[in-house]
Amino acid sequence: MKRLFALFTLFLMTVPSAQAQDGGDRAVDDVRGAIEFVQNLSTETIAVWSDSKLSAAERYNAFRAIFEDATDIELLAQGMLGLHYRTISKEQRETYMQAMGDYIIAEFDKRMAQIGFKSLEVSGTKPASGKQGHLYVRTEVTREEGQPILADWRVRKKDGKFQIVNLEFEGINLLITNRDLFSSKIKKDGFDGLIAWLRAQNTMPSGSQAEASR
């Protein structure tokens, strides 16, 4: 009887560790899944950028479709606005979120173009601070020109789906950098001035779906 109890106890102790390796409700509990998510995102992005048959508008539309699905745009947008998000009206939030949908995709497109993204190798993972269970997937990005750079993708898992909630590369934090910039814009030009500036940054190609929907 004691032996049976010991075996049962051992079974209970090993179940959580197996879930942590092979699945779980949080990114930090599903390291393998988070790594595969970032690797697949890299493969899809490279396939789009290397397709010489695509026009600039077609490439942008394909890139946008990939990153709209792979990014928690609402969470990232709220983080970029910081404490200001709590003080604006419902109508202003709707206007802001609409502008940010275009801006965040344009930011990813611009940053990855600046990097000269060619290939990506996962170098490790690191649990993010906080209780959300986010995970940093650390990568080394090979560039078209220059030395490889380090990029950390902050990933969340919600309802079984992985999404990006931030990106850091070479010490530049996408969320914090934009939060500081937005705060400065609001202080200088007001909230409407920030919206006007955001819209001006969306340099999407002529003929893209996002431009047509405006």
Side-chain angles (χ1 to χ4, degrees):
M1 186 68 179
K2 291 183 178 179
R3 184 178 180 184
L4 180 62
F5 179 77
L7 288 172
F8 181 69
T9 303
L10 179 62
F11 171 76
L12 291 178
M13 292 174 62
T14 57
V15 168
S17 62
Q19 290 178 336
Q21 290 179 2
D22 299 326
D25 295 330
R26 307 183 306 165
V28 74
D29 298 324
D30 189 0
V31 173
R32 184 183 306 167
I35 290 174
E36 290 178 353
F37 164 70
V38 171
Q39 289 175 329
N40 290 338
L41 180 62
S42 169
T43 300
E44 292 176 4
T45 302
I46 292 171
V48 167
W49 279 3
S50 62
D51 191 343
S52 60
K53 297 179 182 179
L54 296 178
S55 66
E58 289 171 335
R59 187 198 67 81
Y60 178 86
N61 288 337
F63 179 85
R64 185 185 182 99
I66 292 171
F67 272 81
E68 277 186 331
D69 183 62
T71 307
D72 190 331
I73 291 177
E74 183 174 353
L75 184 63
L76 190 52
Q78 288 183 21
M80 287 181 178
L81 197 58
L83 295 177
H84 294 288
Y85 187 80
R86 301 178 183 178
T87 63
I88 58 178
S89 67
K90 180 180 178 181
E91 291 74 19
Q92 287 176 318
R93 288 182 182 181
E94 291 176 354
T95 301
Y96 171 72
M97 284 299 178
Q98 185 178 11
M100 284 298 289
D102 293 337
Y103 177 80
I104 288 177
I105 298 301
E107 273 290 279
F108 274 115
D109 192 28
K110 178 175 69 176
R111 297 297 181 184
M112 297 180 83
Q114 287 176 346
I115 291 172
F117 188 88
K118 184 178 180 181
S119 65
L120 174 150
E121 294 291 337
V122 174
S123 58
T125 61
K126 176 184 177 182
S129 60
K131 300 179 180 180
Q132 306 98 326
H134 295 175
L135 183 74
Y136 280 108
V137 178
R138 318 195 78 168
T139 64
E140 184 175 280
V141 179
T142 303
R143 310 164 66 188
E144 295 290 347
E145 296 181 5
Q147 296 295 317
I149 67 170
L150 302 179
D152 292 348
W153 306 78
R154 183 165 179 156
V155 175
R156 73 176 295 181
K157 186 181 182 184
K158 183 178 180 181
D159 298 328
K161 181 178 181 179
F162 289 100
Q163 286 187 304
I164 299 165
V165 294
N166 199 10
L167 170 64
E168 297 182 23
F169 64 94
E170 295 297 295
I172 299 174
N173 185 305
L174 186 66
L175 189 153
I176 293 176
T177 298
N178 279 279
R179 179 189 293 165
D180 293 342
L181 176 62
F182 290 5
S183 181
S184 175
K185 291 287 182 184
I186 291 174
K187 184 176 181 180
K188 179 182 178 182
D189 303 318
F191 182 77
D192 291 340
L194 171 65
I195 297 299
W197 181 84
L198 287 172
R199 289 172 173 166
Q201 306 310 303
N202 300 329
T203 56
M204 61 193 72
S206 176
S208 65
Q209 293 176 358
E211 183 189 57
S213 65
R214 284 185 163 186

